[in-house]
Amino acid sequence: MDSGGFMQAFQNELICSICMNYFIDPVTTDCGHSFCSPCLHLCWEEALTPLSCPECRAVSEKLEFKTNIVLKRLASLARQARANHISSSEQQICATHQEAKGLFCEVDKTLLCVSCSESPEHGAHSHYPLRWAADEYREKLLKRMGSLWKMNQEMQNNLTQETDKIQSFENYVSLRKVTIRAQYQKMHLFLQEEEQVHLEALEKEAKETSDQLKESVFRMAQQKESLKEMYRELTEVCHKPDVELLQVRRESPFSEAETLFWDFRNAMESITDVILHRAELVQMQKPQPVNPELTSWPIAGTLDMLNTFRVDNIVSLKTTIPNVSLSDEDARVTSGGDHHGEAAEPQRAEGFAVWGAEAFTSGRHYWEVDVSHSPNWVLGVCEDVLTNVTDIINNSVEAFLLFSTKVNNHYILSTNSPALIQYVKRPLGRVGVFLDYDDGTVSFYDVCTGSLIYSFLPSPFSSPLKPFLYLRAP
C-alpha cells in the first residue's frame, strides 16, 4: 500500500459509521466501536432496541461514555487536512493581496489574509487562526448540544410521568364515583337528583382536568421533539466545513415574525451564533406539569347526619406522646412512592401523636379534628394494640388513615389501605372522621365545605379501633 492509500485508510478510521463524517465528540462503546456522541444519542433515541451498538448490535451496559480525546484530536487534524484541501481547490485567496485567507476576524466575522489583518480596517480587531476559531465555535455547539440533550432526557422523564398520571387520575375518578354513589345511597330518596347533578359536574370537571393533562403531555411531547430537532440541527451545523461554519449569514433564515424578533441583533452574526440563539430560545420554552385537583362538592345534610353520632373529648392526655420523630420516608408509604416523580424533601420533623381514650368495637362514631395549625398531619383510626407511630403508618391491615404531606411546593392528600392520592383540595380547618364499625367503613370529611374527602370501601373489622392523630411541626 502506497503512502496515499495508507493515509486514506487512516482517515477512513476517523469517520463515524452513522453520519459518515469525521468524528464530532467521539465516544467508544463497551464493544470497542466508536461513534459521534450526538449520533449515538439520536440513534439510541429512535431505535427499537436501545443501548445496542449500531455496528455489531452488542448490548451496552451503560448509557453515557466519556469523550475519546485521542480520536477527537485525530479527527480534528483530519478535518483540518480536508479543509486545507477544500480551501486550495476553491481558491480561498485574497483578491487584493493574492494571499491565502488563514485568519478569522472575531469582530467582523470574516476570513482575512495576513496583510488584510494588518490593515487599518482590521488592525485593532482580534484575529485567530482559521482552525482554532472553527474548533472554538464547534466546542460552543457541543456545549449547547449537551445542555439540549440533558433537557431532552428530562423532558422524556416528565412525559412518561405525565402520561402515567393520566391513568392514575382516570382510575381515581372512577373510584371517586364509586365512593360518591355509596355515600348518596345512605341518604334519602329525595337526594337522588342532587346526586346526579354532582356526578355530572364531576364528570365535566374530570374531563376538563383530563384534557389539561393530555394537553400537558402533548406540549411536553412537542417540546421534546423541538429539543431533538434543534439537537439534530446543531449536529448538522457541527459537520459543516470550517469556512461555512464561520460564515456570516446575510440572508434571513427565519419567518417574518422571527426576523422581526432578531432585527435588533447584530446583522453580521455567523450562522453558528444565530443557531445558538435559537437553541437558547427553545430551551426557555419549558412546559410545567399539571397538578390535578377536583372541586369538593358539599353533600346536603351530611354534617347534620354525622353530628347525631358525634363523640366529644376522644383524646386522652394519658396517651399523648410529645416530640415524636417521623421521617418523610414513613409518610410516603401512603401514596405508593414518589407522587409521580415528585418527592418530599428528605427530613425528620418533631411532632406529637395522640390516641383516643376509648377503643370502639361496634356502632357509629363521629369526631372532628382541627388541623389548621399544622400543614403536615396524619389522622384516622388504628388497631388498639398499635402504639408506635411508625408501625401505625406502615400498617396496611388495621390502620385507616388520611395523610397531608408537603411535596415540593404544594401539599398532597393521600390515604392508605391501599395507598392512594386524593385529587381534592386539602382541608384547611377541621376534618371530620366517621367510623361505622358495623358497616366496616371509615370516612373523612372537610367540615368547612361539608364535602366528602374519601370513604374506605366496606371491609369487616377484626379488632378494636382507636382514634389516632399525628401532628408534625411545620
Side-chain angles (χ1 to χ4, degrees):
M1 180 184 296
D2 58 18
S3 60
F6 174 83
M7 183 58 65
Q8 183 62 44
F10 177 76
Q11 291 180 332
N12 288 342
E13 293 299 318
L14 302 176
I15 292 178
C16 171
S17 60
I18 298 177
C19 65
M20 301 308 295
N21 284 294
Y22 289 122
F23 288 124
I24 294 291
D25 193 26
V27 295
T28 303
T29 59
D30 296 338
C31 60
H33 293 112
S34 298
F35 310 90
C36 297
S37 177
C39 294
L40 190 61
H41 281 160
L42 292 173
C43 181
W44 281 355
E45 172 78 2
E46 300 172 352
L48 297 177
T49 55
L51 303 186
S52 62
C53 174
E55 284 197 19
C56 67
R57 300 304 175 188
V59 178
S60 175
E61 295 292 334
K62 54 187 178 181
L63 183 61
E64 297 293 336
F65 303 93
K66 293 183 178 180
T67 300
N68 190 322
I69 301 299
V70 175
L71 275 182
K72 184 175 182 179
R73 290 174 179 171
L74 291 175
S76 179
L77 292 173
R79 192 179 294 106
Q80 177 62 23
R82 182 181 66 176
N84 292 339
H85 175 72
I86 293 175
S87 297
S88 175
S89 62
E90 293 181 354
Q91 297 298 316
Q92 293 293 333
I93 305 298
C94 175
T96 303
H97 303 100
Q98 296 299 308
E99 297 179 13
K101 297 180 180 179
L103 297 175
F104 176 71
C105 178
E106 181 68 22
V107 176
D108 292 338
K109 312 294 185 185
T110 56
L111 298 179
L112 305 172
C113 67
V114 174
S115 298
C116 286
S117 69
E118 297 172 349
S119 67
E121 182 182 357
H122 300 282
H125 298 168
S126 298
H127 310 115
Y128 304 99
L130 176 61
R131 175 187 170 188
W132 185 91
D135 285 344
E136 282 294 303
Y137 271 81
R138 197 168 277 111
E139 287 301 319
K140 289 181 181 179
L141 289 166
L142 289 173
K143 184 177 180 180
R144 178 62 65 182
M145 289 162 61
S147 174
L148 279 169
W149 188 253
K150 181 179 179 181
M151 191 171 178
N152 176 75
Q153 295 303 100
E154 292 175 353
M155 195 55 59
Q156 176 62 54
N157 292 335
N158 292 341
L159 176 61
T160 300
Q161 294 167 8
E162 202 76 344
T163 302
D164 293 341
K165 194 184 294 183
I166 291 178
Q167 185 61 51
S168 172
F169 178 75
E170 291 177 347
N171 291 341
Y172 173 79
V173 170
S174 299
L175 181 59
R176 187 162 180 80
K177 289 179 182 178
V178 173
T179 59
I180 290 174
R181 288 193 178 98
Q183 182 64 26
Y184 272 98
Q185 288 173 0
K186 298 178 182 179
M187 308 294 285
H188 298 291
L189 294 178
F190 71 86
L191 293 176
Q192 290 181 350
E193 181 178 354
E194 183 180 343
E195 176 189 2
Q196 187 62 33
V197 172
H198 191 159
L199 291 172
E200 290 176 357
L202 172 63
E203 187 73 31
K204 179 181 179 181
E205 186 177 11
K207 183 180 183 304
E208 292 173 354
T209 306
S210 181
D211 290 343
Q212 291 175 9
L213 284 168
K214 292 176 182 178
E215 176 66 22
S216 178
V217 168
F218 177 75
R219 290 197 304 268
M220 287 185 177
Q222 278 190 323
Q223 176 71 352
K224 181 179 179 298
E225 191 61 31
S226 297
L227 291 169
K228 187 168 66 174
E229 188 61 34
M230 181 58 65
Y231 187 85
R232 183 181 287 108
E233 186 174 353
L234 291 179
T235 301
E236 294 174 358
V237 174
C238 274
H239 290 306
K240 291 182 179 297
D242 294 348
V243 174
E244 188 174 351
L245 182 71
L246 302 171
Q247 179 181 348
V248 175
R249 189 84 177 211
R250 299 183 183 277
E251 295 181 359
S252 173
F254 305 122
S255 65
E256 182 178 351
E258 289 175 316
T259 301
L260 292 174
F261 177 81
W262 291 108
D263 274 347
F264 73 95
R265 303 201 62 85
N266 191 336
M268 299 301 290
E269 284 190 329
S270 67
I271 296 176
T272 304
D273 288 325
V274 174
I275 293 297
L276 289 173
H277 288 317
R278 289 176 59 195
E280 182 180 3
L281 185 61
V282 169
Q283 286 186 275
M284 292 171 59
Q285 300 169 348
K286 183 178 180 180
Q288 297 300 314
V290 174
N291 293 315
E293 186 176 274
L294 294 174
T295 301
S296 296
W297 282 65
I299 301 176
T302 296
L303 294 181
D304 292 335
M305 180 270 292
L306 292 175
N307 277 308
T308 62
F309 308 105
R310 191 181 186 99
V311 179
D312 293 319
N313 302 320
I314 64 166
V315 175
S316 171
L317 295 179
K318 296 181 180 179
T319 57
T320 300
I321 302 180
N323 301 322
V324 176
S325 179
L326 181 66
S327 70
D328 285 322
E329 186 62 33
D330 294 323
R332 282 202 295 275
V333 301
T334 65
S335 58
D338 62 356
H339 301 293
H340 302 289
E342 301 172 317
E345 298 177 0
Q347 58 181 343
R348 300 190 71 88
E350 298 296 322
F352 69 92
V354 183
W355 283 261
E358 177 186 358
F360 302 117
T361 57
S362 63
R364 299 172 181 174
H365 312 275
Y366 174 74
W367 62 95
E368 295 179 359
V369 180
D370 187 357
V371 295
S372 58
H373 300 296
S374 178
N376 297 284
W377 43 262
V378 185
L379 58 84
V381 296
C382 65
E383 190 176 5
D384 186 27
V385 297
L386 295 177
T387 58
N388 182 279
V389 176
T390 302
D391 289 342
I392 293 173
I393 290 177
N394 292 329
N395 189 294
S396 60
V397 179
E398 292 295 341
F400 302 87
L401 306 172
L402 177 65
F403 292 71
S404 172
T405 310
K406 185 176 183 180
V407 179
N408 292 334
N409 294 323
H410 66 282
Y411 289 87
I412 285 182
L413 281 181
S414 59
T415 50
N416 65 341
S417 302
L420 180 68
I421 297 176
Q422 301 294 321
Y423 291 102
V424 293
K425 186 176 181 180
R426 181 175 65 98
L428 302 178
R430 303 180 69 83
V431 176
V433 183
F434 180 57
L435 168 63
D436 189 340
Y437 196 98
D438 298 328
D439 189 42
T441 61
V442 178
S443 304
F444 301 98
Y445 299 86
D446 187 338
V447 176
C448 181
T449 62
S451 60
L452 172 70
I453 298 175
Y454 182 69
S455 180
F456 287 93
L457 298 179
S459 177
F461 300 132
S462 60
S463 60
L465 297 177
K466 273 188 174 183
F468 172 76
L469 169 65
Y470 173 79
L471 296 177
R472 194 170 71 176

